[in-house]
């Protein structure tokens, strides 16, 4: 299992609309094609956080489905509610948060990259 954390800006009054866009898409074959096992959406003010758990590494999963018509539809629908967090954003990879530390009882502390 791989986790990706996507960070963007959100229009806070539109949480429900964004949730519905994903609910519609998650009822299609797209999650299975992408290997998605879990999706969680969070917001704090205008900060949007999208936790995605996939069987493949996040970039590979997104790369595989990027040309899929449903992915294109979802991306276009979200564009009116979600915008890049960083002004240097060029594509989805620029929205993924960098994991730099983790801990679990099994592994203990891990400093990453």
């Amino acid at each position: 299992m791989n986790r990706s954390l996507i960070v963007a800006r959100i229009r806070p009054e539109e949480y429900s609309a964004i949730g519905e866009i994903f609910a519609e898409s998650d009822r299609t074959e797209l999650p299975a094609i992408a290997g998605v096992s879990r999706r969680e959406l969070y917001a704090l003010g205008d900060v949007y956080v999208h936790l995605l758990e996939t069987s493949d590494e996040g970039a590979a999963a997104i790369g595989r489905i990027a040309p899929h018509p449903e992915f294109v539809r979802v991306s276009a629908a979200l564009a009116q509610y979600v915008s890049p967090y960083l002004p240097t954003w060029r594509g989805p990879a620029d929205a993924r948060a960098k994991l730099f530390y983790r801990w679990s009882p099994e592994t203990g502390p891990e400093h990453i990259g």
Side-chain angles (χ1 to χ4, degrees):
M1 188 237 343
N2 294 277
R3 289 188 183 110
S4 294
L5 197 62
I6 300 160
V7 180
R9 298 262 180 224
I10 187 174
R11 290 181 25 204
E13 67 277 7
E14 301 296 349
Y15 297 158
S16 180
I18 294 165
E20 189 53 39
I21 291 167
F22 279 107
E24 289 174 17
S25 182
D26 288 338
R27 287 189 286 268
T28 71
E29 75 282 356
L30 193 62
I33 294 169
V36 174
S37 58
R38 176 183 295 274
R39 176 191 322 280
E40 295 179 356
L41 304 176
Y42 298 85
L44 178 61
D46 70 344
V47 177
Y48 163 89
V49 179
H50 181 163
L51 174 64
L52 193 61
E53 292 182 357
T54 55
S55 54
D56 294 332
E57 192 271 327
I62 297 297
R64 184 172 54 251
I65 64 165
H68 192 284
E70 180 61 12
F71 183 84
V72 173
R73 183 197 72 79
V74 168
S75 296
L78 290 174
Q80 62 186 314
Y81 306 118
V82 179
S83 60
Y85 182 81
L86 296 175
T88 56
W89 187 88
R90 292 177 315 260
D94 295 329
R96 285 196 356 252
K98 177 180 172 51
L99 174 65
F100 64 92
Y101 176 88
R102 70 177 154 216
W103 175 91
S104 73
E106 297 79 26
T107 64
E110 293 180 75
H111 293 273
I112 301 159

